[in-house]
Amino acid sequence: QVQVVESGGDLVQPGGSLRLSCAASGSAFVVYAGGWYRQAPGKERELVATINKNGMSNYADSVKGRFTISKDFALRMVYLQMNSLKPDDTAAYYCNLRGMRPSQDYWGQGTQVTVSS
């Protein structure tokens, strides 16, 4: 069985920074893609950033220039550096790791990011 755990969420002031980490443990699988998603109360889950095994990344327009996704898939880890945080970034942030099989799609339970003065 695979477990995915996020860490790094916190309460920060507008303009502040946070670095989120995500790690998989348990049954072995080869990570081919990872991503971060977020969900605020009353809103649908939205994609924040994704990265594949070659390092190609994609970002939501709302975070471009402020967030950076990175990876170490050999260690089954992904990261999200968040700078210039805004109140609208407040959400539960979820990590996703995927292998090549359709069944290899794993999610963490989320870490809360709150941006408020």
Side-chain angles (χ1 to χ4, degrees):
Q1 304 299 313
V2 174
Q3 298 82 43
V4 175
V5 178
E6 304 100 334
S7 63
D10 205 351
L11 170 65
V12 298
Q13 295 183 351
S17 297
L18 285 173
R19 184 173 186 258
L20 306 183
S21 298
C22 170
S25 62
S27 299
F29 73 101
V30 177
V31 180
Y32 280 82
W36 289 93
Y37 299 75
R38 67 186 182 186
Q39 187 168 21
K43 300 181 66 176
E44 295 184 345
R45 185 182 67 181
E46 65 173 343
L47 184 150
V48 176
T50 60
I51 190 166
N52 68 13
K53 67 176 183 177
N54 297 316
M56 186 177 72
S57 58
N58 290 294
Y59 297 90
D61 287 342
S62 59
V63 307
K64 286 180 180 177
R66 300 187 298 120
F67 292 9
T68 303
I69 189 170
S70 59
K71 66 174 179 67
D72 189 342
F73 284 170
L75 299 179
R76 300 197 294 181
M77 297 190 71
V78 296
Y79 310 90
L80 186 69
Q81 178 66 45
M82 304 186 294
N83 298 326
S84 302
L85 284 162
K86 304 175 180 179
D88 284 349
D89 296 319
T90 296
Y93 283 71
Y94 298 90
C95 175
N96 175 239
L97 296 175
R98 293 189 288 116
M100 291 301 296
R101 297 182 178 183
S103 61
Q104 295 175 330
D105 186 0
Y106 307 110
W107 292 84
Q109 293 187 340
T111 185
Q112 180 66 38
V113 173
T114 301
V115 184
S116 176
S117 59

